[in-house]
């Protein structure tokens, strides 16, 4: 009986050592490994899709507004990272020039979610699938405030009451660059936003004036 107990203890000890060794050998993969290269490859892929007219998807790309309005856009040689890329649900959601753009001093009331390329959500005022018929939790943003360049660039090309959300892809050069913003938004992070503009509030709107 004692021999059986002795050998049982030996066997359990060997198994414990083996499991401990396996645990040490099995390291959790770093979700941010090669993060810069992965994000650059991702935005290159998005640029190719956005430029592919045969895909049937509805894409637009918009120049960095700071470059565009500096008056040098006619001679500036744009790179992939000088654009934000926007995927729309329908063509009628695209600003076509027949109505005013959202201006730099305007306030927008919107629904949004923000993600990085591995799908981790870092911000937003709704969860899951967006539905304009049931979503009423809108947030107001004055787009003249100090937001990232890509966010402002995208907003200045949108219009209110779209058929559905648009998805915006912002290269890190137009986002937070090499800054470490949080445990989620690490340096070189592409920012992905789902955006729905419910209302645009013009600061000098006189439509309700008695004059």
């Amino acid at each position: 009986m004692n021999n059986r107990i002795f050998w049982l203890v030996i066997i359990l000890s060997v198994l414990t050592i083996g499991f401990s060794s396996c645990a040490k050998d099995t390291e959790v993969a770093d979700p941010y490994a090669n993060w810069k290269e992965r994000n650059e490859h991702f935005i290159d892929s998005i640029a190719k899709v956005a430029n592919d007219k045969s895909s049937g998807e509805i894409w637009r790309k918009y120049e960095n507004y700071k470059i565009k309005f500096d008056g040098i856009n006619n001679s500036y040689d744009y790179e992939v990272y000088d654009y934000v890329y926007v995927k729309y649900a329908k063509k009628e959601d695209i600003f076509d020039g027949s109505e005013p753009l959202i201006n730099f001093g305007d306030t927008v009331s919107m629904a949004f979610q923000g993600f990085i390329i591995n799908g981790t959500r870092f911000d937003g005022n709704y969860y899951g699938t967006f539905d304009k018929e049931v979503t009423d939790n809108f947030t107001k943003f004055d787009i003249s405030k100090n937001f990232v360049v890509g966010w402002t660039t995208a907003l200045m090309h949108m219009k209110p009451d779209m058929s559905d959300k648009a998805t915006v892809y912002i290269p890190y050069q137009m986002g937070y660059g090499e800054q470490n913003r949080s445990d989620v938004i690490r340096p070189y992070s592409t920012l992905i936003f789902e955006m729905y503009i419910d209302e645009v509030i013009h600061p000098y709107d006189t439509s309700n004036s008695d004059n």
Side-chain angles (χ1 to χ4, degrees):
M1 184 69 178
N2 289 337
N3 286 338
R4 291 181 179 177
I5 294 174
F6 173 78
W7 285 110
L8 180 59
V9 170
I10 293 297
I11 292 170
L12 289 175
S13 299
V14 170
L15 290 174
T16 301
I17 293 171
F19 286 136
S20 298
S21 177
C22 290
K24 291 179 180 178
D25 293 339
T26 305
E27 296 182 359
V28 177
D30 179 4
Y32 292 93
N34 302 316
W35 194 237
K36 180 181 179 181
E37 292 78 9
R38 286 164 59 192
N39 279 271
E40 289 176 343
H41 177 74
F42 178 86
I43 209 68
D44 285 343
S45 300
I46 289 296
K48 290 179 181 178
V49 173
N51 289 324
D52 182 6
K53 305 303 181 184
S54 65
S55 68
E57 296 179 331
I58 305 169
W59 287 86
R60 291 291 186 274
K61 62 181 184 179
Y62 301 116
E63 305 99 322
N64 179 331
Y65 81 92
K66 287 190 175 182
I67 296 174
K68 182 175 182 179
F69 295 122
D70 274 347
I72 63 171
N73 56 305
N74 290 332
S75 60
Y76 184 80
D77 186 15
Y78 283 93
E79 303 289 345
V80 167
Y81 54 78
D82 291 318
Y83 296 96
V84 294
Y85 301 88
V86 183
K87 183 179 180 182
Y88 293 93
K90 295 181 179 179
K91 286 186 177 180
E92 54 263 37
D93 291 338
I94 300 171
F95 172 75
D96 60 9
S98 63
E99 55 195 286
L101 289 170
I102 297 173
N103 298 308
F104 191 68
D106 290 345
T107 295
V108 293
S109 176
M110 62 186 296
F112 75 103
Q113 289 192 95
F115 303 88
I116 56 175
I117 64 172
N118 63 13
T120 302
R121 181 183 186 275
F122 63 82
D123 199 1
N125 57 13
Y126 74 92
Y127 287 87
T129 303
F130 176 77
D131 185 342
K132 65 175 291 185
E133 303 301 328
V134 300
T135 299
D136 59 2
N137 185 30
F138 301 110
T139 302
K140 292 181 179 178
F141 293 101
D142 176 351
I143 68 169
S144 67
K145 301 301 182 184
N146 190 28
F147 298 114
V148 297
V149 173
W151 170 276
T152 304
T153 297
L155 287 178
M156 292 175 75
H157 288 87
M158 290 191 173
K159 61 183 184 180
D161 197 25
M162 300 185 295
S163 68
D164 202 345
K165 64 178 174 60
T167 306
V168 178
Y169 299 85
I170 302 175
Y172 72 81
Q173 294 91 340
M174 293 178 66
Y176 293 113
E178 300 179 17
Q179 297 181 52
N180 186 27
R181 295 291 298 182
S182 68
D183 289 340
V184 175
I185 306 177
R186 303 288 184 86
Y188 310 111
S189 290
T190 300
L191 305 179
I192 305 168
F193 287 101
E194 297 177 352
M195 292 183 177
Y196 173 80
I197 311 299
D198 178 62
E199 182 184 9
V200 180
I201 303 163
H202 303 289
Y204 305 111
D205 186 1
T206 57
S207 59
N208 294 323
S209 173
D210 294 333
N211 295 329

